[in-house]
Amino acid sequence: MCDPNQLTITISGGTTTEPWHKKHDPEHTQANLPYKATVTDQNGQPQANVSVTITTDVTSDSGGHVHTNGRPKGKLVDQTGATVSTKDGKMTIPGTTDGSGVFAFTFGAEEASGTHTLTATCVGCKDPAKSTVKAEISGLMLLDENPLSYELRGSLDPHPGNHYFSQAAMVQIINLAHSYRVDKAFNKQLMKINDSSLIKGGTFDVLLDWTSESNVHGGHRLGIVVDINNYKTARNTLFEEFAFSSDIKANWHGKGTAPHYHLLLLNEDH
């Protein structure tokens, strides 16, 4: 007879996914990772019909978000499509192991990047099992200060890192800023570079609502766009032509309290 206090539970599955893109993935499937929670006895034999609970939580301040107001914890779904529940501020889902000792489920990232922890427990298990999941856009690089070539702008709170770019976009903005600085048509001004992406990409929620749905920064997910603050009152066709000469599209965002140019550094906006 198996000792019910000597069961072991483990979690296996992926460790990294991209933040959910609500516009491109309305059914919330592309950002999901499959997982298995497996229960075995002291001899390593799988145990069926064991009650399992999966919990997900997210590390505070991860993904470049230094605010906690109702932060989503991730989406847990079992094979029946059961809805997640909230317990102690975390997301949980119950289940039962099958004949192979496995309870299968998925973890789905939210729009905000961040580091999540999955925890699996079971009735009779000695210890919980944990797995770390990172929702992020990989490979983003920080644009360093260079007061001779450009000026970095933007608030440090509650998103302290707002100048992250993909490698290709980084080359574009540095070259463009240098050309702008030496171009007599712009009186040798410094380009005022504001928001691009957060340290791990994903939604840049300037409204602090964890979503891009009502977000004026909806395109700032992948480190391939940036806002320029040199023009605060009206469009400047000369600047638009200047950007276009470097194969960069400059979109004028003139509404609201902070008019600016939104540059598509790779001619894409996600």
Side-chain angles (χ1 to χ4, degrees), residues 200-266:
K200 296 298 182 181
T203 190
F204 194 152
D205 56 333
V206 294
L207 301 180
L208 308 184
D209 57 1
W210 304 106
T211 178
S212 62
E213 187 170 355
S214 57
N215 189 352
V216 295
H217 270 22
H220 292 245
R221 296 182 65 255
L222 304 178
I224 60 176
V225 304
V226 67
D227 292 340
I228 302 300
N229 290 156
N230 292 75
Y231 306 95
K232 293 188 175 182
T233 57
R235 291 181 59 180
N236 185 296
T237 55
L238 181 61
F239 176 73
E240 293 174 16
E241 293 169 358
F242 165 76
F244 184 75
S245 69
S246 295
D247 196 28
I248 294 172
K249 186 175 182 180
N251 291 332
W252 173 245
H253 288 192
K255 296 181 179 181
T257 59
H260 63 275
Y261 269 103
H262 180 79
L263 302 188
L264 309 187
L265 296 172
L266 306 182

Side-chain angles (χ1 to χ4, degrees), residues 28-107:
H28 204 307
T29 58
Q30 297 175 21
N32 294 351
L33 293 174
Y35 282 87
K36 292 181 179 180
T38 304
V39 177
T40 56
D41 64 14
Q42 64 268 38
N43 298 314
Q45 297 301 307
Q47 297 297 296
N49 300 317
V50 177
S51 295
V52 173
T53 299
I54 310 297
T55 304
T56 178
D57 204 354
V58 63
T59 302
S60 297
D61 300 348
S62 62
H65 297 270
V66 187
H67 59 106
T68 58
N69 48 309
R71 181 166 188 166
K73 311 290 183 168
K75 183 179 180 182
L76 293 172
V77 181
D78 67 17
Q79 291 183 327
T80 70
T83 305
V84 297
S85 61
T86 301
K87 182 179 180 181
D88 299 328
K90 303 173 184 178
M91 305 307 293
T92 67
I93 194 169
T96 304
T97 57
D98 61 16
S100 300
V102 170
F103 171 62
F105 64 97
T106 64
F107 168 81

Side-chain angles (χ1 to χ4, degrees), residues 154-226:
S155 173
L156 297 180
D157 183 38
H159 298 112
N162 62 321
H163 300 115
Y164 284 86
F165 296 81
S166 72
Q167 184 174 9
M170 175 82 79
V171 172
Q172 285 285 71
I173 191 59
I174 290 175
N175 289 342
L176 189 73
H178 174 74
S179 297
Y180 187 84
R181 175 70 178 86
V182 300
D183 195 318
K184 294 181 180 179
F186 302 111
N187 299 317
K188 296 185 178 181
Q189 297 181 69
L190 291 177
M191 182 174 285
K192 298 176 181 179
I193 300 174
N194 197 0
D195 294 338
S196 180
S197 288
L198 301 181
I199 184 170
K200 296 298 182 181
T203 190
F204 194 152
D205 56 333
V206 294
L207 301 180
L208 308 184
D209 57 1
W210 304 106
T211 178
S212 62
E213 187 170 355
S214 57
N215 189 352
V216 295
H217 270 22
H220 292 245
R221 296 182 65 255
L222 304 178
I224 60 176
V225 304
V226 67

